[in-house]
Amino acid sequence: MRGPAHPRAAEDVSVAETSQSGVALIARLKARIARITGSASLKAPAQLWNFGLPEIDAHLADGNLGIGAVHEVAPFSWPDMPAAIGFAASLGVLRQEKARKPVLWLRLCAQTREMGELYGAGLHQLGLARGRLLTARVKKPGDLLWALEDALRSGVASLVIADAPSAASDLTISRRLQLAAAAGLTPAILLSQKPMKGGTAGATRWQVRAAPSLPPVDDLLAPGNPAWALSLTRCRGGKPGEWSVEWHHATHRFSLVSRLRDRTIAGFDEKSGEGISIPTRPALRAIERRA
Amino acid sequence: MSDGPEGLRLFACDGFAQARGLEAGQKLTDARAVAPDLATYIHEPETDAGALLALARWAERFSPWVAEDGCDGLLFDIAGVAHLFGGEPMLLADMRQRFRALGFTVKTGVAPFIGAAFALARFGGDLPQSDDVRANLAPLGVAALRIGEKDIVTLRRLGLKTIGSLYEIPRESLARRFREIRGGSSADVLKRLDEALGLADEPLSPLRPLAAFSVRHAVADPMRSPNMLEEAANDLIHRLCRKLARAGRGAMRLSFAFFRADGTRAVIGLGMSRPSQDPLHMMRLLRPKLDMLDAGFGIDGIHLEAEETGPAESEEPGFMEGVAPFHHDFDLAALSDRLSNRAAEAGLAQLSAVSSHMPERAESFTAFSATATQMQERENIRPTTLLSHAEPISVMASVPDGPPLRFTWRRMAHKVARCEGPERIEPEWWREREGATARPRDYYIVEDEEGRRFWLYREGLYGEAQQPCPQWFMHGLFA
């Protein structure tokens, strides 16, 4: 908007020019926008929803996935769907830590036939408290969108995870869901079978692929903690990135793992030679030794 | 006409036939002799009963308390209802007019007792009626007393042709007289007389129990526009909620009956997971269903009834909080209601554990409002999703009863990279029926080279006598 410059704004800019710091200017402007739009409360610790990993969080807008926003999660290919479900569940665990309200999981009947029913014991072992998880099954995709919008707008859940019908990639529908999420201050995770294409109103778009796990220390032949290759392909206000992570269900934490392909530690800065501290685990050390 | 042991007989006949001297119970051959051009139809009692029931349902517009009376009558309890129609005469006029519009010949009678109403409606004709039941009944024939054919004949022989003539006979002699003729039936005459005069109670069993909480709305001009219907429904809901609030109750199940102008009716049912007296919530549940309502030629009456109520709960969090996390969450309950009334199969569900070690039985979806069960957590690792039916897969194993090396599921080959197991799960013999062939299962958690994880099992053991070879199944998927 062009017009007579606001005296206060002009002052801000001049301050920024003298301090020679564009970053400070942006931070200051963002703070002002937050004050004006009233979204300052989103910065409260209870509203922070991120990975707890600086490497990934740095790519997110304000280091936060975003509470009143829609997030899209899809598998790389069809067989990775369980990994995508697990990733959504782990984000639900992180959300449950901050919010008392239950996590609501809306499922399409067609999808339950394909991938099976949610299994409470297994989700519990991933860390998603069964006593604070509610599900509903819906037959028609249209009804699912309706239910999703209602659930988001009513703000009764801390997070709504939903099987995304193909219509969810429609810009109008996605915009509507985004508005509902913002109105109810409830985040949504849309789990679609195929990555959504084109522009949607989603805040982030993730693709998940199952990755070989690091074996537990007591049994080198057994599968270890769930491991996923994550790819953040779109991020509003942030930047895309790719990571390999492991989910620790006992501590409810993600950790970066080395890519077995090239044996480099993710987050390792080759120029400076400094590695970012990763949680050292016996198993990880074991495999490094073997290599 | 009806077909009985005594041949074909007339079951009922209309006014024209009666004018030509025909009467019910006459032999068809006799009737044909009198009126050769008689048109006859086979009497179908079941069809008639069904039609009467439908008529009774339709007639609920006059009173919520309707019962079928014999095979050709309807009984209404109009206590407290008549003033809605502008008094008893207006109610009767409305009733007669509407029944006639449906093509029925109708006779009406109003009395404080069922027996008297029966007599007046069927035998009263156009006699002027006063408030005195005894006086009203006195000129009627004894047949109006709902007594047996033989008793009527006996009474007539004794010269007791009208009900009024019975008043003067001492009760003892009436009772004695009929006991002498045929034990048991005497009670009938006296009992029926007492019932008609209100000396003995006679219960009316309506089509269904009267709902304690019901409101109705009748309009002169049939409503067709959705806005008007919504407004009328909203008004009814508010009235019902006020009733509920006064009684300290909340509605669990609501039933809307929309009476169309052509005599049909549409019913909309709403269910709520907890007792509610919130008109806004009810309206939100109703609105999507109202949109789908076919108003036909217009709706001239709506009846709203709380079919099931429960004690209303206050919104204040009680001591139960924490024990049942969702029990007091009213917003959540409202969302669940909206879902179950529109889209979801059964509202919000909670995953609860069932005491069973068979993986497919160990979990169930229960309505979320149920008290959260504290479940003991299983030590063994379980998948994130469980397939609704275990799917047969082809597996290659190093040794027959060893862990799998390769397997093919849904036409995709997987090479096992890591494997954990087996975990043996024995069938629950106490659940199996006689001769069932449930076999023990050995479950493995496997990870393929891509890092995808599966939960598969081998059913049966090698070396069992007279058993087919063990088979492999895919049962669940891990994150």
Side-chain angles (χ1 to χ4, degrees):
Chain A
M1 194 178 81
R2 287 179 185 275
H6 195 279
R8 181 94 181 102
E11 189 188 320
D12 272 348
V13 172
S14 63
V15 169
E17 276 166 354
T18 51
S19 68
Q20 301 289 314
S21 165
V23 180
L25 170 68
I26 288 167
R28 204 187 307 260
L29 288 176
K30 274 184 179 168
R32 279 196 67 197
I33 292 168
R35 269 202 307 278
I36 294 164
T37 58
S39 57
S41 59
L42 292 181
K43 295 284 186 317
Q47 303 295 345
L48 197 61
W49 181 35
N50 60 22
F51 289 78
L53 289 174
E55 298 80 5
I56 301 181
D57 294 341
H59 283 249
L60 305 174
D62 296 330
N64 192 352
L65 272 168
I67 296 303
V70 177
H71 305 278
E72 300 161 6
V73 173
F76 264 95
S77 60
W78 176 80
D80 290 314
M81 195 61 194
I85 291 176
F87 176 61
S90 63
L91 289 180
V93 176
L94 293 175
R95 183 78 186 119
Q96 266 186 347
E97 288 188 337
K98 298 280 174 59
R100 277 193 72 247
K101 292 177 195 165
V103 169
L104 177 58
W105 201 315
L106 298 173
R107 302 219 62 198
L108 266 178
C109 287
Q111 190 66 21
T112 60
R113 277 194 295 278
E114 191 92 337
M115 281 297 151
E117 290 285 3
L118 294 179
Y119 200 61
L123 289 169
H124 208 105
Q125 281 161 357
L126 274 183
L128 198 61
R130 175 150 53 172
R132 285 164 64 199
L133 174 70
L134 293 174
T135 72
R137 264 174 299 177
V138 180
K139 279 214 181 82
K140 290 187 221 153
D143 284 343
L144 184 122
L145 290 171
W146 173 85
L148 175 59
E149 189 188 352
D150 194 341
L152 289 174
R153 211 171 272 282
S154 63
V156 294
S158 59
L159 166 69
V160 185
I161 305 173
D163 288 332
S166 50
S169 59
D170 177 87
L171 185 60
T172 315
I173 289 171
S174 132
R175 182 98 191 102
R176 211 180 149 82
L177 292 176
Q178 167 66 38
L179 286 174
L185 274 185
T186 310
I189 294 178
L190 287 178
L191 263 174
S192 55
Q193 279 182 296
K194 286 182 189 152
M196 297 208 185
K197 291 202 181 76
T200 57
T204 62
R205 185 177 291 173
W206 299 86
Q207 271 187 281
V208 188
R209 180 162 49 197
S213 64
L214 301 171
V217 65
D218 52 349
D219 185 356
L220 289 178
L221 292 176
N225 286 324
W228 304 307
L230 300 179
S231 159
L232 177 61
T233 55
R234 270 168 59 103
C235 182
R236 199 172 291 269
K239 51 185 187 290
E242 287 190 22
W243 305 272
S244 275
V245 296
E246 191 179 30
W247 172 249
H248 302 266
H249 56 83
T251 53
H252 297 182
R253 285 289 167 269
F254 280 108
S255 69
L256 291 174
V257 292
S258 62
R259 299 237 183 101
L260 291 180
R261 263 203 315 278
D262 52 12
R263 315 292 317 152
T264 57
I265 307 281
F268 182 81
D269 188 346
E270 287 182 9
K271 276 182 205 152
S272 66
E274 280 175 45
I276 295 159
S277 68
I278 54 167
T280 48
R281 300 189 331 131
L284 192 57
R285 280 204 300 276
I287 203 160
E288 295 293 332
R289 262 204 308 281
R290 276 201 298 175
Chain B
M1 60 181 183
S2 63
D3 195 1
E6 293 155 9
L8 291 171
R9 281 172 182 274
L10 294 189
F11 180 79
C13 49
D14 64 5
F16 294 110
Q18 278 168 353
R20 291 180 63 173
L22 301 184
E23 59 177 20
Q26 208 170 19
K27 277 189 183 155
L28 181 64
T29 45
D30 295 350
R32 278 269 152 81
V34 177
D37 53 345
L38 181 70
T40 57
Y41 304 92
I42 299 287
H43 175 226
E44 296 166 348
E46 290 85 10
T47 319
D48 281 2
L52 188 66
L53 181 66
L55 192 64
R57 291 283 181 207
W58 169 79
E60 278 175 7
R61 59 171 55 220
F62 300 113
S63 159
W65 204 315
V66 186
E68 297 148 281
D69 182 31
C71 60
D72 57 353
L74 291 177
L75 271 172
F76 296 87
D77 184 349
I78 58 166
V81 172
H83 74 274
L84 296 173
F85 295 83
E88 277 174 21
M90 297 293 284
L91 170 62
L92 287 184
D94 186 34
M95 229 182 229
R96 277 195 292 266
Q97 192 248 318
R98 283 185 189 269
F99 274 102
R100 277 196 199 114
L102 292 178
F104 290 99
T105 316
V106 61
K107 293 188 202 165
T108 56
V110 181
F113 319 112
I114 296 174
F118 176 93
L120 289 173
R122 286 165 206 253
F123 299 89
D126 299 321
L127 291 174
Q129 295 178 2
S130 66
D131 284 345
D132 185 1
V133 184
R134 281 178 83 90
N136 284 342
L137 291 180
L140 302 184
V142 287
L145 276 181
R146 298 183 290 173
I147 51 180
E149 196 68 35
K150 284 181 179 156
D151 286 334
I152 296 174
V153 173
T154 315
L155 286 169
R156 281 204 183 128
R157 270 195 205 134
L158 293 166
L160 301 168
K161 291 206 170 87
T162 62
I163 295 177
S165 59
L166 290 177
Y167 296 164
E168 289 138 34
I169 312 283
R171 290 174 60 85
E172 294 77 18
S173 54
L174 198 61
R176 198 177 332 116
R177 171 72 187 163
F178 281 89
R179 194 179 302 130
E180 277 162 21
I181 295 172
R182 269 194 339 276
S185 80
S186 63
D188 241 352
V189 176
L190 204 57
K191 191 176 136 220
R192 291 302 192 185
L193 182 64
D194 284 350
E195 281 171 359
L197 297 177
L199 298 172
D201 282 337
E202 183 184 358
L204 170 68
S205 20
L207 285 176
R208 58 175 165 172
L210 179 69
F213 299 100
S214 69
V215 284
R216 53 185 52 244
H217 181 78
V219 287
D221 264 350
M223 297 179 280
R224 291 201 60 188
S225 95
N227 289 344
M228 282 173 74
L229 277 177
E230 194 175 316
E231 206 172 293
N234 193 22
D235 181 49
L236 277 179
I237 285 179
H238 274 90
R239 275 163 56 196
L240 184 77
C241 286
R242 278 198 295 277
K243 272 192 176 185
L244 288 167
R246 270 199 298 276
R249 311 272 302 169
M252 306 271 290
R253 224 146 37 86
L254 290 180
S255 147
F256 280 87
F258 293 89
F259 298 97
R260 298 197 190 99
D262 59 357
T264 57
R265 66 174 199 166
V267 176
I268 292 179
L270 300 178
M272 274 156 284
S273 55
R274 60 191 316 129
S276 164
Q277 25 172 278
D278 178 7
L280 292 178
H281 176 49
M282 293 179 192
M283 207 54 215
R284 274 185 87 170
L285 297 184
L286 175 68
R287 214 166 275 134
K289 297 198 171 186
L290 206 55
D291 290 343
M292 284 181 263
L293 178 75
D294 174 18
F297 293 106
I299 291 199
D300 57 1
I302 310 177
H303 178 210
L304 167 61
E305 175 181 323
E307 288 182 330
E308 196 184 327
T309 62
E313 294 166 51
S314 70
E315 287 215 28
E316 285 169 54
F319 64 94
M320 285 293 282
E321 201 181 22
V323 180
F326 311 132
H327 198 70
H328 280 268
D329 196 327
F330 279 75
D331 294 338
L332 213 48
L335 175 67
S336 175
D337 288 348
R338 291 200 295 276
L339 288 184
S340 61
N341 277 289
R342 149 110 192 221
E345 284 185 322
L348 295 180
Q350 221 170 330
L351 296 165
S352 359
V354 175
S355 158
S356 167
H357 55 252
M358 296 306 282
E360 61 268 36
R361 284 206 197 98
E363 295 232 340
S364 72
F365 291 93
T366 50
F368 88 96
S369 51
T371 315
T373 47
Q374 206 58 50
M375 295 151 291
Q376 91 268 19
E377 285 318 320
R378 286 163 211 283
E379 294 279 310
N380 297 317
I381 297 173
R382 288 289 176 263
T384 327
T385 56
L386 195 75
L387 300 175
S388 41
H389 299 285
E391 298 173 14
I393 49 171
S394 62
V395 167
M396 213 175 77
S398 50
V399 284
D401 53 355
L405 287 181
R406 294 165 188 278
F407 64 96
T408 308
W409 176 57
R410 291 184 181 173
R411 291 189 286 175
M412 270 183 82
H414 300 269
K415 193 167 180 290
V416 175
R418 300 181 185 285
C419 174
E420 193 176 336
E423 177 194 348
R424 175 156 303 175
I425 297 181
E426 294 279 348
E428 296 175 326
W429 54 266
W430 57 92
R431 285 184 203 267
E432 305 298 338
R433 280 192 220 95
E434 198 84 20
T437 53
R439 306 168 74 183
R441 300 173 182 174
D442 280 340
Y443 278 89
Y444 290 90
I445 303 163
V446 301
E447 183 177 310
D448 71 3
E449 286 183 319
E450 309 282 319
R452 295 164 190 147
R453 293 140 175 250
F454 307 90
W455 205 40
L456 30 88
Y457 69 85
R458 184 181 49 224
E459 190 177 66
L461 305 172
Y462 281 94
E464 275 182 307
Q466 287 155 16
Q467 290 278 8
C469 250
Q471 264 232 302
W472 285 90
F473 292 92
M474 175 67 65
H475 204 185
L477 305 169
F478 287 92

